[in-house]
Amino acid sequence: WNSQAIGITVNSFTRLSVTHTEVYLHLATAACVMDVGDLDVQGVCNMAHAFSRAHTRALTEGVGVVDSLNVKLLDVCMAFPPHLFTPQALATLSRAFVSWEDTPVGRRNALLERLGQIAQHVPMKEYSAQAAAIIVGAYAEALPRADITSDVLKYLSQVLLSMKPEDITSIRSIAYVVNGHARANRTDNALVTHMCVCAQQLPLGAFRP
C-alpha cells in the first residue's frame, strides 16, 4: 500500500456505501504503520478526505486506529514545508479536518491556523474558483467554534470577488461558499451578492442533478 492508494480505495468503498467496517479499519491500520517519510501531500489529502466523509465516520467513530490515523495525518500536515501545498491541497485538507469531528480541537485549530497562513501566501491568480470556494466554506463553518484568525477568509473572499462571473462556472463552488456562511450564521454581503450574480450567469442545465 501507499498513501494515495489507501485514500483512493477508501473513497471508492465509501461511494459504493460499503458497510464492512473491517475493511476501513484494515486500511486505516495500513496507513498507521506506514513510515512518515513515505507520505506525500497528495496521499495525505486522499486519506484525510476519505476518512472524514460522513459514511466513513459513521462506521469508524471512536475506533482507536482511526483516531491514531487522524493524529498522524495532522502531525504530518504540520511538518510539511509550505511550498508543497497547492491550492487544491489546502482546500481538501481544510474541508476534511473541519468535517472530521473526532479531530482533537487543539490540533485542528493549530492546523487550520497554519493552512490559513499558507493560503494567504499563495498568489490570487493560482487559485481556481473551486479551491477558493471550498476553503471559504470550510473556514466560514469552522470560525464560530475554532480559536483561529479570520484573515484567510478575508483573503479568499477577495480571491473570489476578483473573479469574473464567467470564471465561476460550477454550482458546487457557489454552494460551498453559501453553505459555509449559512452553517456559521454569518454573511459576507459582498461575496454572497457576487455568488448570486454568478449563479444567474450559469445555464439552466448546470442545475440539473
Side-chain angles (χ1 to χ4, degrees), residues 18-38:
V18 172
T19 58
H20 297 292
T21 302
E22 295 80 6
V23 71
Y24 298 108
L25 300 186
H26 177 74
L27 291 165
T29 301
C32 280
V33 300
M34 288 182 65
D35 189 271
V36 171
D38 293 331

Side-chain angles (χ1 to χ4, degrees), residues 96-144:
F97 284 106
V98 168
S99 300
W100 201 341
E101 295 174 355
D102 287 343
T103 304
V105 174
R107 288 175 179 267
R108 175 195 285 131
N109 290 351
L111 178 63
L112 290 176
E113 190 69 46
R114 181 171 195 249
L115 295 179
Q117 291 295 326
I118 294 171
Q120 293 173 74
H121 287 88
V122 176
M124 287 189 179
K125 64 181 181 181
E126 293 187 16
Y127 279 98
S128 66
Q130 178 175 311
I134 291 173
I135 297 172
V136 167
Y139 277 82
E141 182 178 344
L143 277 170

